[in-house]
Structure formats: structure tokens, C-alpha cells
Amino acid sequence: MRSLLRTPQVRDPALFRDISLVCAAGGVVGVSFGAISVAGGLPVWVPVVMSLVVYAGAAQFSAVGILLAGGGPFAAAATGLLLNTRNAAFSLAVADLLGPGRAARFVGAHLVTDETVAFALAQSDPVRRRVAFWVSGLGMFAVWNVCVLAGALAGTALGDTATYGLDAAFPAVLAALVLPALRESPPVRRAALLGAAIALATTPVTPTGVPVLLALAGLVVWRASPEGKGAADGRVS
């Protein structure tokens, strides 16, 4: 990782600034998660251990919500797994960035999130993609867990930080990261529009998280395009 940071091609202040901003936003959400969990009656170790082992914000919020509502651990785990199903597709997109070693691939797989994949795929070459993935992944993992611990220790003192509107930071950042790809690639744009339409249409009638999975059907449009066929044949990286 240190050698990557010293590579001239990745000395990009704008990239590291954007990663820092996303880490900061994640930290705010992490504090909220820790505070909400403890304020709802869970012991401090539950959100802390969950953040280390699961490390998936949406799945963690849904699981804690089910537990606090009286649901069982199996229902909470099943919901979390359903929400994280999309990470299987994300993992395929960044698999070549993790390196050949088993340890690196294991750690890298744990760091696959919407944000790390978006940062990686927004870069123009493989070296920048790899650096963006690992820097954002390790940074967000560290900030998330430290802030979850801080929120859990603070308990009810902080309340729900979502009332400040800061929970909108993640969607805004993700939208900013994918805008260049949407502008430059018509097949990607058509796939995104179809996925967005499917998600909007199914949101009122499906459980939380399912619309995101259904939106992946938009990839059919991209797969049928010359760009998608080229990627499948290994002609496009």
C-alpha cells in the first residue's frame, strides 16, 4: 500500500480529498448507528462487533432495527444477507484489484462496499483503481468502526444524527462519482436509467433493499451493448 501511495500517477489531491469527505460522512453515520443501537437497548459490544465482522451499513441498520423491534437473530441475519446480495456483483467488478494473495483477497472482499467500488471504477487506469479501492476501503473501515464505538459509548446523548440530514451525504457522493460514467457511456446511462425506473416502481411494494437488487436488471441493457459484449470477452478492462 505504501508503494502505491508513492506512485506518481496516484498523487491526486482531489481523489484523496473526495475519499476523506466520504470517510467523514461515513463516520457521522457510524456514530449514529452506534448511538441508535445502544439507545434502543442493545449492549455496547453488539454494534461494535457487528461493525467489525459484518461491515455493511445498510445491513447493520436493518438488522438492529429488526432486533430492536423484537425480531429474532435469524430474521435479522437473513435481511442483512439479502441487502448485501448486491455486493456479489460489485465484487466481480473489482476482483482484479485485490491482488493474487489469499490474505489480500480476503481483506479486500471484506472492504467491498458501494463507495469503494464507485471510487475504484471512477478511475481511469488499473493503478489508480487499485489505489482508490484500497485507500477508500481501509480508510472507511477504520473511520466507521472508530465512530461506531464512539457513538455506542455516547449512547443516548447524541440522539439520531439522521435528523440533521447528514444521512443524505452518501447518496449524494455516490451520484457524483457515477456521473462521469453516465455522461461518457450511453450504454451505462441506459442501464442506469432502466435500473432507476425499476427501483422506483418497486419501492412501494417490496421490502427495504429489494428494489436495489431488482435494479441490477438494468445491467441486461449494458450486457447487450457492444461495450458489454467486449467486457465479457475480455476486450475491455
Side-chain angles (χ1 to χ4, degrees), residues 23 106 126 166 204 237:
C23 289
F106 179 81
L166 296 176
S237 60

Side-chain angles (χ1 to χ4, degrees), residues 13 65 67 73 75 83 100 114 120 127 131 141 149 161 173 180 216-217 219 222 235:
L67 292 174
L83 287 173
D114 306 60
V127 173
V131 171
F141 182 80
L149 174 61
T161 56
V173 170
L216 293 175
L219 291 174
W222 177 80
R235 287 184 275 111

Side-chain angles (χ1 to χ4, degrees), residues 33 42 46 50 54 56-84 208:
F33 174 72
L42 295 177
V46 171
M50 183 184 293
V54 179
Q60 291 181 226
F61 271 105
S62 66
V64 165
I66 291 173
L67 292 174
L68 294 181
F74 290 106
T79 302
L81 287 173
L82 178 62
L83 287 173
N84 279 349
T208 301

Side-chain angles (χ1 to χ4, degrees), residues 196-214:
I198 293 173
L200 287 174
T202 56
T203 294
V205 295
T206 57
T208 301
V210 173
V212 176
L213 299 177
L214 296 177

